[in-house]
Amino acid sequence: MTARPIFTVVLLLSLLALSQNPGTNSATQGQQRAASVGLAVPTYQADFTPVIANGVHLISWDNGHLVSFGAGEMREPVTLYAKTGKWLFEKWPSFEGAMKIYGQDAAVTSTGAVVLSVSAVSPDGAVADMIVEMGRDGIRRVIRTSPFYALRVCTTAEGTVWAYGKEYTDDRRGERRIHYPMLREYSFEKGELRSDLDRATLHVPKGVPVDGGKREFQMRCGSGKVILVSGPTNELMEYDLSASKLGRWPITPLPEGFYINGAAITASGEIYASAFRPGQNALTSMLHLHVNPLGVAEWTALTTVPSGGKFFVLLGNDGEDLVYSRGRSTPTLFWSAATKSEATR
């Protein structure tokens, strides 16, 4: 038996052990769990009402705000909400001469503006890839990134935008070259500032998209770094902003059937993710990711419960609290602290 199946069985058993209903466990079991790892009872929650038109929407939590936007061809406006659930503004991204607009990802800046990765298509089929800043007054600033197509974006406290993406050919049927940086930092005033992560060094299984699908590739900015959690390659990447250096560590695979569907980096730099195993006896988990002394990123389950159609979606953080929903269509967001054992600190 290989090392991977052994780990998979052990981790799955630990996930199932943590999935027991705290209300049915003995006091001793509850004390043991509280002393090790867990997801605290929510200390705050708020209801949001993202607009759903004829398309598909995604939501993103960042810098004390929730943003809702159209995924793929945009059929709904970009909408921003405060932490209380209060509606702040709703705007369509529009460009002169564009026939269609496609949205990839969105984040919120420290000043409460929305940063959106979009592609505009003209009637003759020409495509312009952009990162735009939007506010109550509409589009404020634009960075033209073509041929770079930003799949994920996040923002720093300094006001810059980090993007992870691909370089496409003009016909969008393939990648432009073998070597190019997939991770790039942009300024709305100065353009591209720095870059890293050579495309040739990111190897995905045949038939698997580099962004993973099902949102399995997660990217977050915070605590002086940019993190990338790659489900397709089982790899954790961290770009240290002060040192301008990229670190990379293999991630021990999740048990078969689980996939990552959300991530967060807390104010202290701890990394967390949510995962889901669909199908019969579906399970949903909240996990802590840390690098062990051997240089391998390991998962520790905070909690695992039967999904019941309400799987965890980790949207981001608020200080040390994790901000998450139970499913993508629910209007309620929850704030919970994570407790970790000494072994994972």
Side-chain angles (χ1 to χ4, degrees):
M1 182 178 290
T2 65
R4 176 172 175 173
I6 291 175
F7 171 83
T8 299
V9 171
V10 172
L11 179 57
L12 184 55
L13 288 174
S14 71
L15 294 180
L16 291 172
L18 280 168
S19 71
Q20 300 175 54
N21 187 333
T24 63
N25 290 340
S26 68
T28 301
Q29 288 175 318
Q31 291 171 358
Q32 290 175 339
R33 186 169 53 254
S36 55
V37 295
L39 184 68
V41 173
T43 57
Y44 180 79
Q45 69 182 57
D47 289 339
F48 297 81
T49 54
V51 177
I52 304 177
N54 296 321
V56 176
H57 84 279
L58 292 175
I59 57 176
S60 177
W61 172 269
D62 203 5
N63 285 305
H65 295 80
L66 181 78
V67 58
S68 171
F69 62 99
E73 184 178 349
M74 299 188 70
R75 300 183 182 274
E76 66 167 270
V78 175
T79 310
L80 187 69
Y81 303 85
K83 180 177 177 177
T84 59
K86 178 184 177 182
W87 176 94
L88 296 177
F89 71 76
E90 175 182 296
K91 287 290 179 180
W92 284 90
S94 59
F95 303 91
E96 184 177 354
M99 182 177 65
K100 293 182 180 180
I101 304 294
Y102 292 86
Q104 284 79 250
D105 200 13
V108 184
T109 70
S110 57
T111 60
V114 174
V115 168
L116 185 70
S117 169
V118 297
S119 299
V121 182
S122 66
D124 63 1
V127 181
D129 299 311
M130 295 169 282
I131 295 173
V132 303
E133 181 188 67
M134 298 183 65
R136 186 182 298 273
D137 50 349
I139 294 177
R140 296 173 176 173
R141 298 184 288 183
V142 176
I143 303 170
R144 175 76 177 265
T145 63
S146 298
F148 182 69
Y149 174 78
L151 295 162
R152 304 283 186 271
V153 292
C154 62
T155 65
T156 68
E158 292 71 32
T160 63
V161 180
W162 280 88
Y164 164 84
K166 301 173 65 175
E167 281 191 9
Y168 277 119
T169 55
D170 292 339
D171 60 10
R172 317 293 282 192
R173 294 182 179 178
E175 294 178 70
R176 184 174 292 267
R177 48 186 174 148
I178 297 174
H179 295 279
Y180 64 85
M182 300 189 73
L183 183 64
R184 307 183 187 193
E185 181 184 28
Y186 292 96
S187 162
F188 282 103
E189 293 83 14
K190 300 177 182 179
E192 187 176 326
L193 300 177
R194 46 186 170 172
S195 61
D196 211 316
L197 187 57
D198 187 343
R199 172 66 178 92
T201 68
L202 199 66
H203 306 289
V204 296
K206 186 177 181 180
V208 175
V210 72
D211 63 335
K214 295 184 179 179
R215 310 293 286 183
E216 279 196 283
F217 194 103
Q218 302 291 325
M219 174 178 173
R220 297 289 186 271
C221 294
S223 192
K225 55 190 175 183
V226 182
I227 65 158
L228 303 100
V229 181
S230 173
T233 60
N234 288 313
E235 186 175 18
L236 168 65
M237 292 167 269
E238 290 187 3
Y239 188 89
D240 186 310
L241 299 182
S242 61
S244 295
K245 182 178 180 180
L246 181 69
R248 303 175 69 169
W249 300 272
I251 298 177
T252 308
L254 288 168
E256 185 175 356
F258 279 86
Y259 69 86
I260 302 165
N261 64 356
I265 176 171
T266 64
S268 61
E270 298 291 340
I271 301 170
Y272 297 89
S274 55
F276 179 48
R277 189 191 72 183
Q280 188 175 13
N281 300 319
L283 293 173
T284 183
S285 300
M286 199 75 82
L287 308 159
H288 177 232
L289 183 62
H290 61 100
V291 179
N292 68 22
L294 298 178
V296 177
E298 293 183 326
W299 298 108
T300 300
L302 299 180
T303 184
T304 298
V305 296
S307 171
K310 297 181 179 180
F311 51 91
F312 288 115
V313 181
L314 182 55
L315 300 172
N317 76 293
D318 191 358
E320 292 302 315
D321 283 343
L322 303 180
V323 181
Y324 58 95
S325 66
R326 295 299 304 270
R328 292 197 180 277
S329 59
T330 178
T332 306
L333 267 58
F334 302 93
W335 277 247
S336 292
T339 59
K340 304 180 295 299
S341 68
E342 291 300 319
T344 66
R345 293 182 189 275

